[in-house]
Amino acid sequence: GFTGATLSFCGMFGAPDHRQHTHTYKHEIGRAILHLGNRRHGADDIETGRRSNLIVWNHNFEYRLKGGNRGVAYERENETPSPVCLSYTHDRDYEAFKKLPRSARKRDRRPWCPPKGLEYPG
């Protein structure tokens, strides 16, 4: 067994609330969860124990030929991002809201989200 490692869901990519928390899922042995890939999500750290994951991606080639998620038009955020929805890997403004973890300081980070000018202005 394990503790921690919940899965947090936020808004849909491109929406003004894409970094607003909507739900936290607590894993249970023998259960699976399916979700759309364009819903912002992230796993918390495992606190104790061990866990194995089976992650499967399903691709729609027709959708990808039309540009897939690259065509998502972002809207300006309208409120401060939820802390659980922030990602030091993806968010350009992460350090405006949270301290960068020591392990991330050594990495070559290339955050891209939200697009310039569309982040929360506060």
Side-chain angles (χ1 to χ4, degrees), residues 32-103:
I33 186 162
L34 301 174
H35 63 87
L36 293 173
N38 59 350
R39 176 167 295 282
R40 192 171 176 122
H41 61 283
D44 300 320
D45 293 333
I46 292 175
E47 294 169 358
T48 63
R50 288 184 53 179
R51 178 184 90 183
S52 296
N53 292 324
L54 172 62
I55 300 173
V56 178
W57 285 275
N58 190 4
H59 297 277
N60 180 324
F61 292 105
E62 189 105 5
Y63 176 74
R64 293 203 178 264
L65 286 173
K66 295 178 182 173
N69 287 336
R70 288 178 301 201
V72 171
Y74 274 77
E75 297 177 49
R76 178 183 290 280
E77 292 180 302
N78 52 15
E79 55 186 311
T80 304
S82 300
V84 72
C85 294
L86 289 166
S87 166
Y88 62 78
T89 303
H90 298 106
D91 295 329
R92 294 180 311 97
D93 59 353
Y94 180 89
E95 293 179 87
F97 303 102
K98 291 175 89 173
K99 186 176 180 180
L100 194 63
R102 181 174 296 173
S103 61

